[in-house]
Amino acid sequence: MKYFSTRGEEEKYTFREVILKGISSDGGLFVPEKIPPLTPEEINSLLSMNYHELVFYIFKKFEIDFADDEIKELIEKAFEKFDTPEVAPLIHLRNGLFLIELFHGPTSAFKDMALQVMPLFFEASLRKLNEERKSKNLPGVRYLILVATSGDTGTAALEGFKNREKIDITVLYPEGGVSDLQELQMITQDGKNQHVYGIKGDFDDAQNAVKYIFTDEKFIKKLDSLQIKMSSANSINWGRLLPQIVYYIYSYLTLLKKGEIRAGEEINITVPTGNFGNILAAYYAREMGIPIKKLICASNQNNILYDFITTGKYDLRSRTLVKTPSPSMDILISSNLERLLYHLTENTQKIRKWMEQIKHEGFFHVDEETQDKISSLFSAGWVNNDTTLLNIKKIYTETGYLMDPHTSVGELVAESYIGKQKDNRKMVVASTAHWAKFGVDVFKALHGYPYNASDIPEIKGLSGVEIVRLISRETGKNIPQNINTLDRRRMIHTKIVEKNPEKIEKEILKIMG
Ligand SMILES: *Cc1c(COP(=O)(O)O)cnc(C)c1O
């Protein structure tokens, strides 16, 4: 199976090639030339598989260019650091609403589901590339992974790429735009190949800097002369999306196994959404044939996707990013939307036009036909900051389950969809982070403080980790090991840089020697 760009570049590439490239040279995102179907009988035959086996099966469906043994070996290794053999447990919260917990990996957020897998396939692809180059008497290449993060991606990418051969990873995060725990998770990373910078700006500034650097011809030439290539670990990389499709299929199979649904019965899925990667993976699962009726896109106060899904207009002009307790969704430009628009239109010219418009005018409006398709597939909702926190307390009080703020946004949008649409299909909500990653806001929630409360006597003077321990004592809930040990680790990466991409390029040249 080959992949090609959403913006019409002629050439097609294999999985190994697209995972290394990350983004197409015309600025587009890689999409598969077909989405492999799963027949109803086939879906039944998957019921006996464990998570690893299912990943293998789906990777084979997408015909990735690796030998079977090698795929199996990499998948085994990928899930070693998860704290449960189930990998992604499905919890019945209440009344036909389920949470698929995607935070059992080493950094306690759903990004691990893909970023424990993708770097291994990346490293293996690079090894093969260098073998091919060697046989042609060409020098070997090194890779620089450049990542913009609103918090969780950075940590998960650093963890995934830690000490991978011939690969360096550089992460840019908005200084002050991530939680103190997220920041600690990043700046205490002790791999030999890891570089982390806070930048003076917001997530979109970080993402824009990365986009600029990726397309800066002069800089690319300079790196080329040093036998260095660049790629991305953001969800624009197809290697991120593929592993994410698996857990939506897995959640469907788990519902079947538990007897919650009959074969062929439709379910709905709600995803707390930022860059549109996670919900797009659910879309691919649906296109493959998993009976999913609606994909429900849940936003926080940065509700540009809500507006887009309900009106067909993507409008940045009157918007500025606001801070929320779900910072991993604080995004105005949702990159993966481009892939969805391609699949709905199959028209690379249209995609190019819309992407040019958003870039230069801050606005695009899809045609009616595309909008109708979006409305039939998707529903959307959003939740403000204080309601997000109130819902954490409400669900904890009513069910004993403690959610993080991202999951709270998803849960609330799911409930409101069920209430409004009177749709009683089983609902799966993606639970994207462990509560302990967002301790301060979870504390505010449990103690009835509003989001913008600043003077909270109970936690005055406590560090992020100490607050998490306090919550744990109060609720009896466990803290993941990686978070509980954070304040014993050394802070290594403490450099803050300007958001100016050229300054960042200079830093990169320094570290890559
Ligand atoms: C990244 C992230 C999201 C958003 O996922 P997208 O794929 O960017 O839509 C939601 N919740 C958490 C905890 C995340 O880390």
Side-chain angles (χ1 to χ4, degrees):
M1 172 152 0
K2 294 277 183 98
Y3 296 81
F4 59 89
S5 165
T6 47
R7 299 198 193 169
E9 188 204 23
E10 291 286 318
E11 203 158 341
K12 294 188 176 179
Y13 302 94
T14 67
F15 178 78
R16 260 160 49 195
E17 289 167 331
V18 298
I19 201 173
L20 290 177
K21 275 179 159 311
I23 190 167
S24 166
S25 51
D26 65 358
L29 305 189
F30 290 115
V31 285
E33 57 189 354
K34 62 174 191 286
I35 300 174
L38 291 169
T39 63
E41 299 75 50
E42 209 176 352
I43 293 174
N44 255 333
S45 76
L46 305 178
L47 279 170
S48 59
M49 289 184 183
N50 67 24
Y51 197 84
H52 299 204
E53 289 163 340
L54 189 64
V55 178
F56 176 77
Y57 192 87
I58 300 305
F59 276 36
K60 287 294 290 177
K61 284 299 267 191
F62 277 88
E63 300 167 24
I64 73 170
D65 46 340
F66 278 93
D68 288 7
D69 283 353
E70 203 170 2
I71 302 177
K72 281 190 185 142
E73 195 188 310
L74 294 175
I75 291 171
E76 279 313 308
K77 200 165 159 193
F79 296 103
E80 273 172 1
K81 290 189 193 155
F82 280 65
D83 66 10
T84 162
E86 269 183 282
V87 181
L90 190 73
I91 310 289
H92 188 191
L93 189 65
R94 60 177 176 194
N95 307 334
L97 193 151
F98 296 78
L99 298 172
I100 181 153
E101 292 186 342
L102 304 174
F103 53 72
H104 289 272
T107 74
S108 304
F110 97 91
K111 304 291 194 294
D112 290 330
M113 299 298 298
L115 279 168
Q116 284 296 298
V117 184
M118 181 267 209
L120 295 172
F121 282 87
F122 193 102
E123 184 184 43
S125 302
L126 178 56
R127 200 182 311 123
K128 286 182 200 297
L129 174 72
N130 276 334
E131 280 160 15
E132 283 161 20
R133 289 177 64 91
K134 198 170 172 201
S135 71
K136 292 180 198 153
N137 280 326
L138 293 166
V141 292
R142 285 191 294 153
Y143 261 85
L144 169 67
I145 306 292
L146 189 55
V147 181
T149 185
S150 55
D152 294 332
T153 308
T155 316
L158 287 162
E159 190 66 52
F161 278 102
K162 182 172 180 172
N163 297 338
R164 302 260 74 88
E165 247 174 81
K166 299 239 181 250
I167 302 169
D168 275 71
I169 171 160
T170 296
V171 169
L172 307 175
Y173 69 93
E175 195 214 355
V178 303
S179 81
D180 60 339
L181 282 183
Q182 286 179 317
E183 189 169 32
L184 267 182
Q185 280 185 311
M186 289 190 272
I187 67 175
T188 58
Q189 287 277 338
D190 59 359
K192 295 191 293 281
N193 62 342
Q194 300 166 314
H195 319 280
V196 184
Y197 301 100
I199 75 158
K200 293 182 186 161
D202 61 23
F203 172 70
D204 285 321
D205 292 324
Q207 181 153 276
N208 284 336
V210 166
K211 279 188 183 157
Y212 175 94
I213 295 169
F214 274 131
T215 50
D216 178 358
E217 297 291 340
K218 237 172 87 190
F219 187 64
I220 294 170
K221 271 217 184 96
K222 176 80 202 154
L223 288 183
D224 256 345
S225 70
L226 301 165
Q227 307 299 338
I228 297 167
K229 301 207 173 294
M230 281 188 292
S231 190
S232 141
N234 281 103
S235 56
I236 51 178
N237 192 311
W238 175 256
R240 280 275 303 271
L241 278 175
L242 185 55
Q244 292 182 204
I245 299 170
V246 179
Y247 49 74
Y248 290 109
I249 301 175
Y250 187 73
S251 67
Y252 189 81
L253 295 171
T254 307
L255 285 173
L256 267 177
K257 264 188 274 192
K258 290 189 172 176
E260 296 285 353
I261 53 172
R262 285 167 289 104
E265 185 176 333
E266 285 178 328
I267 63 166
N268 292 315
I269 289 182
T270 303
V271 185
T273 298
N275 217 8
F276 212 75
N278 203 3
I279 195 167
L280 187 73
Y283 166 82
Y284 281 116
R286 185 184 187 280
E287 290 306 293
M288 289 177 81
I290 298 298
I292 298 166
K293 177 71 178 171
K294 280 273 179 189
L295 299 163
I296 298 142
C297 175
S299 298
N300 62 23
Q301 267 176 239
N302 295 300
N303 54 8
I304 194 162
L305 282 170
Y306 169 83
D307 280 355
F308 176 70
I309 288 169
T310 49
T311 65
K313 293 183 183 128
Y314 204 95
D315 195 348
L316 286 168
R317 292 171 301 189
S318 54
R319 284 194 177 257
T320 49
L321 208 69
V322 296
K323 276 198 174 198
T324 75
S326 44
S328 299
M329 296 153 68
D330 290 346
I331 293 174
L332 291 180
I333 301 169
S334 290
S335 309
N336 269 298
L337 194 59
E338 180 167 348
R339 282 195 170 102
L340 175 74
L341 293 175
Y342 172 77
H343 289 299
L344 298 182
T345 60
E346 297 191 330
N347 183 331
T348 55
Q349 256 168 336
K350 269 190 191 167
I351 303 305
R352 220 172 28 230
K353 185 181 89 188
W354 293 335
M355 294 304 129
E356 286 295 314
Q357 280 176 339
I358 192 79
K359 187 168 172 194
H360 298 296
E361 297 156 44
F363 174 85
F364 71 91
H365 189 174
V366 298
D367 52 84
E368 211 171 306
E369 196 191 335
T370 308
Q371 196 190 335
D372 288 346
K373 285 186 187 161
I374 293 172
S375 320
S376 73
L377 286 166
F378 289 87
S379 179
W382 69 279
V383 186
N384 73 30
N385 291 346
D386 285 332
T387 311
T388 303
L389 296 195
L390 283 172
N391 190 48
I392 293 175
K393 168 126 187 219
K394 178 167 179 280
I395 296 293
Y396 177 65
T397 311
E398 292 172 6
T399 72
Y401 190 87
L402 189 54
M403 298 183 302
D404 99 289
H406 303 76
T407 308
S408 174
V409 168
E411 199 279 336
L412 206 50
V413 168
E415 295 238 24
S416 109
Y417 171 86
I418 295 167
K420 269 194 222 129
Q421 304 296 325
K422 307 268 179 288
D423 181 341
N424 60 8
R425 289 177 183 84
K426 296 287 187 297
M427 174 70 81
V428 173
V429 180
S431 177
T432 51
H434 193 282
W435 63 265
K437 263 197 116 155
F438 301 94
V440 179
D441 290 322
V442 170
F443 188 91
K444 286 180 192 166
L446 291 175
H447 289 262
Y449 287 99
Y451 172 63
N452 60 13
S454 51
D455 263 330
I456 301 177
E458 296 97 316
I459 55 175
K460 207 173 170 130
L462 296 189
S463 74
V465 184
E466 285 164 345
I467 294 168
V468 169
R469 291 190 191 120
L470 179 57
I471 298 169
S472 172
R473 283 199 299 277
E474 288 176 352
T475 61
K477 304 281 177 196
N478 288 333
I479 307 170
Q481 187 68 7
N482 78 77
I483 291 176
N484 211 2
T485 54
L486 268 182
D487 55 359
R488 274 175 254 148
R489 285 192 235 147
R490 198 164 65 87
M491 291 188 214
I492 296 169
H493 311 275
T494 48
K495 194 155 184 176
I496 307 297
V497 296
E498 301 289 329
K499 67 182 181 187
N500 177 348
E502 276 147 16
K503 294 225 167 102
I504 299 168
E505 289 177 345
K506 284 214 180 89
E507 280 296 323
I508 291 174
L509 284 176
K510 250 192 268 169
I511 58 180
M512 299 299 286

